[in-house]
Amino acid sequence: MDNQITAYTYIGEGKVVVNKRLIFYQEKIATFAEFIRALYKQEQVSYPKFYKMDSLSKLGFISAELLLRNENPGRFKPGSLAVVLANSSSSLDTDLAHQDSIRNRSAYFPSPSVFVYTLANIVIGEICIRNGLKGENAFLVSEKFNPAQLQEYVSDLLDNGYAEACICGWVEILGNNFKAVMALVEKEGSGAVLKKEFAPLPFTEASLNDLMNVN
Amino acid sequence: MKPVYAISENIISSLGFTASENADGLLSGSSGISIHQDTALYNNPVALSLVDTFQTEQRFEAILDNYKTEHKSGSYTRLEKMLILSIAGALQDISVRAANPRLILILSTTKGNIDLLEDRFTAKFDHKRVYLWALASVIRDFFGFANTPLIISNACISGVMALIKASRLLRSGKYDYAVVAGGDIATEFVISGFQSFQALSSEPCKPFDLNRKGLSLGEGCGTIVLSANPPDTGSTSILLAGGAVSNDANHISGPSRTGEELSMAMNTAIAESGILNLDIDYISAHGTATPFNDEMEAKAISLSGLSEVPVNSFKGYWGHTLGASGIMESAALIRSMKMNCLFRSAGYETLGVTETINVIKETTYKPVNTCLKTASGFGGCNAALVFRKT
């Protein structure tokens, strides 16, 4: 049975696209913080912990919220929905904030609430907590989006029974430059929630590349 | 299932620069953790396990000569030198060419060259060098590895996860060899962060002990070479038989209250290996010596019915080496299997977790054939890996 993409989200260049539908657009993005706050408000997400997250986690969290919005993750067996994310700069965005807090010995204020986000996979932890996901998870780093690597990692999980389905994608942020693409991948005929606006795509490198360049 | 063999290993820690030197250190039973007063690392004295800088430099110069590179030692960061030494060490006794197109490098690290964010390094290295892929590409270029490296950065399970992924890649036939290397260094970045969590012990850490007061940070590198073919020498064959990863879905910086999720990873890894839980004769635990981690692990071990199996943590010897820990500790586990020796869990005297588990108090020689390596980390992640002797 082939693997297919049954839902996706795209956040980049001021646009937010969910399953081919443009749901949000800001022509001029002042800062990531303003952008993500506006998106959070518009989409009426209610999750107080969101405000404590660093930028990488906020970006990944919102992507997953939109991705799973019309899904019922309960249709997967417990522990069988995996999460595999990747990016280029790991947690550098927050690393810089932590380093700034220890740069000056006379103003030395390392904070545990910042430091905990200096690991790239914390965004996966946040998504797992929100959705009760206890399965396989992995954070990969590559210079540029590497669809071959991501496709291989996720297909291996699905084809060898380590997972029934997988949330996968690219979640990159450094300062006010950000981009996130997330896909829900599962076996063909696995009872995916069919969407009017979006027919499933084959889970291939080419499809992943297309999603990265949605415009 | 297609077998995957561990054919060579290296460990670089405060105890030495080879797996043998480290095994000797483990046999001597003394800890490589001591109180360091180095203001470049932290303003106050702190218990750390550090890799000897002078020896690193000397050995690296020798490697540059061996590999006949025109690069100078000064063009490599501290972590790059350690990783190159570790990989060169693991490759030196086996006939695997780095340029083999059927070989993949898998790099495991949490923070990579994070020291380069410090002001003292900004003029010396290009700012891009702090990216993990830049670190991987320096390593790849040094050895001439043919394929793009796979970089795993999944907190403290990175090393075990890298080994699991490597064994899956070999089993699927995508590659014949995997060089799985992990490294992390002690930096002000990491020390100040753990200190802000109040997670650091003022003395060398005591995993699973009643008087444990938190973790000790360490630095180091580990490399394990995996092969789809049995080792060409007549030595003992060690197989990576099965592995699994899970998530607590509970808290980003605190472990599960029940240990169910780590137990689930352990059970899945054991089932995949085609064995039973009662076949396990040794567990190399994560054992960070924080109150919550050790408690959670003891619960998981108990849930999986492994309470009587001898267990140790290597953190009492070389501290918590973060992204390197899973590989260094697996390499030490492989040495245990080859030597048929269970190393005592340094720092342990009295059981300090609520579930009764069998922490190794004295180093003992006995058959070690089927072992479990576990790891857990921030972000709620857990990993377990089974090693078997053939």
Side-chain angles (χ1 to χ4, degrees), chain B residues 234-298:
Chain B
S235 67
T236 320
S237 291
I238 308 287
L239 295 175
L240 274 75
V245 175
S246 69
N247 196 285
D248 294 340
N250 176 50
H251 197 279
I252 52 170
S253 59
S256 158
R257 288 190 192 87
T258 61
E260 271 170 54
E261 298 78 12
L262 172 60
S263 170
M264 185 171 91
M266 288 157 78
N267 293 345
T268 308
I270 289 168
E272 191 190 21
S273 307
I275 56 167
L276 301 171
N277 294 35
L278 54 85
D279 294 321
I280 300 290
D281 50 26
Y282 162 57
I283 304 168
S284 164
H286 190 51
T288 60
T290 65
F292 291 121
N293 173 80
D294 292 8
E295 184 65 28
M296 182 281 285
E297 277 192 274

Side-chain angles (χ1 to χ4, degrees), chain A residues 97-168:
Chain A
H98 176 65
Q99 190 69 37
D100 276 342
S101 75
I102 59 170
R103 182 152 275 128
N104 188 343
R105 284 283 159 81
S106 56
Y108 201 80
F109 297 113
S111 151
S113 57
V114 174
F115 181 67
V116 68
Y117 286 102
T118 63
L119 291 164
N121 65 303
I122 298 298
V123 55
I124 294 179
E126 295 283 16
I127 294 168
C128 287
I129 292 169
R130 168 66 160 175
N131 297 289
L133 309 181
K134 297 192 170 186
E136 290 262 348
N137 53 100
F139 201 100
L140 313 176
V141 174
S142 54
E143 179 173 5
K144 297 188 175 78
F145 179 60
N146 187 336
Q149 206 169 65
L150 194 62
Q151 200 266 352
E152 189 286 326
Y153 206 110
V154 174
S155 301
D156 177 64
L157 292 179
L158 268 53
D159 295 345
N160 291 299
Y162 299 114
E164 273 181 30
C166 185
I167 295 166
C168 70

Side-chain angles (χ1 to χ4, degrees), chain A residues 2 19 26 43 68 76 84 90 111 115 117 132 137 145 148 152 170 177 192 209 214:
Chain A
D2 288 338
N19 301 329
Q26 263 191 358
E43 293 305 306
L68 299 176
F76 303 108
V84 179
S90 179
S111 151
F115 181 67
Y117 286 102
N137 53 100
F145 179 60
E152 189 286 326
W170 179 259
N177 293 315
N209 262 328
V214 164

